[in-house]
Amino acid sequence: AWAVATLRSMLSTSSRRYPELNVKVNCVPAAYNLDEVTAIAGLAKDDPLTVRFIELMPIGQGRNKDGISEEKILGLLEQKYGVLCPYDGNMGNGPAHYYELPGFRGKIGFISAISHKFCGECNRVRLTSDGGFKTCLQYGETLDLRSLLRSGGSDTEIREQLVKIIK
């Protein structure tokens, strides 16, 4: 509760000072923080920001934890705030989909890679902190871009390797 209150205060101040900013609050709900989901969503009530719930993926530290499905979160939010209406407006070009709630200034979004597969529409690539280039968080295949750059790989060679892994 303290963290949500602190975040709410910071976000309200920021949105008043910089109304042109497009603020997104991403969170990954799990069984141990399920009680915080409605409070986090409530951040979008008074401020024009987007709260996005990202499904926990069974990789890395999330491998042995229980994620929460989009349906479960929708149920919790509807119990507390009322019916969520799908939002068809443009909110970016990523895999999230969005909802509106009556009386909310902001939107609620979901990125649900497990319960609502979106592989066919995914347009994301990732650069890891150690220089790995990944086309999907769930795949083990990674291009060691750091080594390629440090070994003096040419622009052509780097481009060829990137195109190869993306295709």
Side-chain angles (χ1 to χ4, degrees):
W2 173 84
V4 173
T6 302
L7 187 56
R8 179 183 310 279
S9 175
M10 289 175 11
L11 291 168
S12 287
T13 302
S14 297
S15 67
R16 283 191 301 271
R17 275 184 85 184
Y18 306 102
E20 70 280 0
L21 288 180
N22 178 15
V23 177
K24 295 176 188 163
V25 176
N26 291 334
C27 64
V28 181
Y32 66 87
N33 68 356
L34 189 58
D35 59 326
E36 299 172 342
V37 165
T38 57
I40 293 168
L43 294 170
K45 183 166 179 54
D46 297 322
D47 291 299
L49 56 87
T50 302
V51 173
R52 299 192 312 180
F53 295 100
I54 302 172
E55 259 182 357
L56 180 68
M57 295 178 71
I59 58 175
Q61 292 184 6
R63 188 178 321 276
N64 298 319
K65 294 190 172 50
D66 293 325
I68 307 301
S69 72
E70 180 177 326
E71 284 71 27
K72 174 84 172 174
I73 296 168
L74 282 169
L76 292 170
L77 297 180
E78 288 191 341
Q79 276 181 332
K80 172 92 177 177
Y81 298 116
V83 177
L84 285 97
C85 302
Y87 178 73
D88 292 328
N90 186 5
M91 297 286 291
N93 61 359
H97 57 277
Y98 298 91
Y99 291 89
E100 295 179 293
L101 275 165
F104 273 54
R105 292 183 65 204
K107 307 281 185 283
I108 304 296
F110 290 90
I111 301 174
S112 305
I114 304 303
S115 65
H116 296 87
K117 300 269 187 224
F118 52 77
C119 298
E121 292 84 40
C122 183
N123 61 357
R124 299 291 196 231
V125 294
R126 292 106 182 137
L127 184 60
T128 66
S129 61
D130 61 354
F133 184 87
K134 297 179 74 80
T135 56
C136 179
L137 291 174
Q138 293 193 71
Y139 296 151
E141 185 179 359
T142 302
L143 170 63
D144 185 358
L145 195 54
R146 177 175 63 181
S147 293
L148 187 58
L149 290 166
R150 287 186 174 171
S151 68
S154 68
D155 288 352
T156 302
E157 184 180 4
I158 293 167
R159 185 178 301 110
E160 286 172 357
Q161 291 296 315
L162 289 172
V163 168
K164 180 180 174 185
I165 196 168
I166 289 171
K167 284 187 176 190

